[in-house]
Amino acid sequence: MNSSSHTLTQRLKYCFVITCILAWPWLTPFGCAAPQPQLYSSSAISHQAKPSLSELCLPNPTPGSLTSEAEVCGLGEEINEELLHSLSQPPPLEGIDIETPAASPFDFVVLLSIDGLRKDAVGTATPVMKSLMNRGVWAEDARTIGHSHTLPSHASMVSGVDIGVHGINFNAFRRGFGRIRFPTIFKIASLANLEVGMFVAKRKLELLDDTGGALDFQVGGMFCSKVVRSASNFIRSKKRGIAFVHFSEPDAAGHLYGWMSWRYRKAVTTADQCVGDLLSLIEQRVDQKRTLFIVTSDHGGFGKTHGAHRDENKRIPWIAYSPALGASVIARPISTMDTAATVLQALGLPQARRSEGHAVMELMGPKPSALSVAN
């Protein structure tokens, strides 16, 4: 190969690498770069004996096809004693009666997660969310988990436990893992014969569907307007249940241009407009006072990334709105794991054993004056 051909080849390789780096954040929300998940199943785990690999992760590997237990199970690290202990505990729902609630504070919950939305990005550029804060209940100090990446954080948001229990310490589809390993709000609600739906921008969130087919799962793509359209019929028509909605514009802009850059702020404004569209759907429901709308996020960001243990990554907005609530501020700290407990409490459903989250009971009282607030 002569020198000119070699130079051309090197340039083509360089252009290909740069194109992949720039395109990755836009492909990821669609799930283009991730393999499809397989359903997770587990045999009964003995409470006395240490579980074997085959008991923890199915389907079993073909001999010689995989190189480690971590690859088999889809974990980011080798199986350790802490994980084995967690998985060998009694099943989280064992002995818990889950029935259609005869009475509950609310009948329907719309849980919105705006991917990558920092708490300090909510302000003059987000008039809809500011309006919800003025009319509803919001937390001064809400934080996500330490492992502040999209999939682990959302897993904690809908399960009420940290990564050591739900097992998702990675941020993409992993074939050997299957689905989340702790009962989610969707699982519990579906067992109580309530309707459950997920309308998301990123397909990898399908790993959070542990209902075995009861969940209405739709990927609207990275444009929040399409996600809202995919959720519109479910939110308007279902009487009792949960609609989980996920927007991704702020996260994509943060990775490309940097958190708090003007392009990031523009993406946040776009997401806020979609919050308004979602609110319009809720206002079309005949039972508005029986519907709870929670707006939060999975993580923030700093520079062009997130995940490190710093405030910019962990502090998130947490806003709850319903015509049945008064305007108040919660002064005490709120964890993203409290979101799962709050949704279940709002629907009159029990939490699974070993849940780490605590319901925000300030939303459940009959009068706004009963709220614990800070002016």
Side-chain angles (χ1 to χ4, degrees):
M1 180 183 294
N2 58 41
S3 59
S4 60
S5 298
H6 178 74
T7 302
L8 177 60
T9 301
Q10 291 297 106
R11 288 178 177 175
L12 288 174
K13 287 181 179 179
Y14 177 78
C15 291
F16 177 77
V17 170
I18 293 300
T19 300
C20 288
I21 292 173
L22 292 176
W24 181 265
W26 298 100
L27 293 175
T28 300
F30 293 101
C32 300
Q36 297 296 313
Q38 297 179 3
L39 286 175
Y40 170 79
S41 62
S42 175
S43 60
I45 297 176
S46 170
H47 299 166
Q48 289 77 35
K50 180 177 178 178
S52 67
L53 177 61
S54 62
E55 289 176 322
L56 295 175
C57 307
L58 296 176
N60 291 326
T62 301
S65 64
L66 298 169
T67 59
S68 69
E69 292 182 352
E71 191 174 356
V72 174
C73 292
L75 298 172
E77 58 189 52
E78 296 293 332
I79 295 176
N80 54 39
E81 291 299 324
E82 180 182 0
L83 177 60
L84 290 174
H85 175 74
S86 174
L87 293 176
S88 65
Q89 297 300 304
L93 297 180
E94 184 178 82
I96 298 177
D97 293 328
I98 302 177
E99 299 177 351
T100 304
S104 59
F106 297 93
D107 292 330
F108 197 81
V109 176
V110 178
L111 172 58
L112 169 63
S113 175
I114 305 178
D115 206 314
L117 180 61
R118 276 174 48 159
K119 178 181 182 293
D120 55 358
V122 178
T124 56
T126 58
V128 178
M129 282 186 274
K130 285 295 291 185
S131 175
L132 291 177
M133 291 172 67
N134 292 333
R135 293 183 289 159
V137 180
W138 62 279
E140 285 186 330
D141 185 15
R143 296 172 184 266
T144 190
I145 59 173
H147 203 81
S148 54
H149 291 286
T150 296
L151 196 52
S153 296
H154 278 113
S156 292
M157 182 190 301
V158 301
S159 68
V161 295
D162 213 331
I163 60 173
V165 180
H166 64 57
I168 298 182
N169 59 358
F170 51 91
N171 198 31
F173 278 135
R174 292 199 174 183
R175 287 187 178 275
F177 185 83
R179 303 301 168 96
I180 186 171
R181 292 175 176 159
F182 191 86
T184 67
I185 56 177
F186 313 119
K187 174 75 169 182
I188 294 173
S190 66
L191 290 175
N193 298 313
L194 304 187
E195 301 282 354
V196 287
M198 289 182 69
F199 309 92
V200 301
K202 298 179 179 179
R203 182 168 293 278
K204 63 185 175 183
L205 294 179
E206 189 174 2
L207 293 182
L208 307 182
D209 175 12
D210 58 345
T211 64
L215 186 88
D216 183 351
F217 181 84
Q218 297 185 38
V219 182
M222 69 171 297
F223 299 108
C224 60
S225 57
K226 292 185 178 181
V227 176
V228 172
R229 283 199 295 271
S230 71
S232 59
N233 183 63
F234 188 95
I235 292 175
R236 281 195 297 254
S237 64
K238 303 304 180 182
K239 293 182 178 181
R240 302 186 75 179
I242 302 167
F244 175 85
V245 185
H246 167 254
F247 301 157
S248 69
E249 279 91 342
D251 183 68
H255 284 295
L256 279 173
Y257 306 109
W259 264 259
M260 306 310 286
S261 65
W262 74 267
R263 289 182 182 271
Y264 171 81
R265 292 180 183 275
K266 184 177 180 181
V268 170
T269 298
T270 298
D272 186 69
Q273 293 168 351
C274 289
V275 176
D277 296 337
L278 203 56
L279 182 61
S280 296
L281 291 176
I282 294 172
E283 291 174 340
Q284 294 175 36
R285 293 179 58 86
V286 297
D287 60 345
Q288 290 185 48
K289 290 188 176 182
R290 302 285 300 164
T291 301
L292 178 64
F293 185 23
I294 298 176
V295 181
T296 186
S297 179
D298 56 342
H299 58 76
F302 181 81
K304 292 186 178 181
T305 187
H306 53 85
H309 288 267
R310 55 185 304 155
D311 271 4
E312 294 91 342
N313 297 330
K314 296 179 66 176
R315 298 199 70 183
I316 55 175
W318 203 95
I319 308 165
Y321 170 75
S322 171
L325 299 174
S328 303
V329 181
I330 302 176
R332 62 185 176 81
I334 295 292
S335 165
T336 193
M337 292 182 286
D338 297 336
T339 302
T342 301
V343 171
L344 294 174
Q345 181 71 32
L347 295 173
L349 298 173
Q351 288 184 249
R353 185 182 290 105
R354 292 186 289 137
S355 294
E356 300 174 49
H358 302 280
V360 180
M361 296 303 296
E362 291 91 335
L363 307 182
M364 312 303 166
K367 298 179 181 179
S369 59
L371 296 175
S372 173
V373 303
N375 295 322

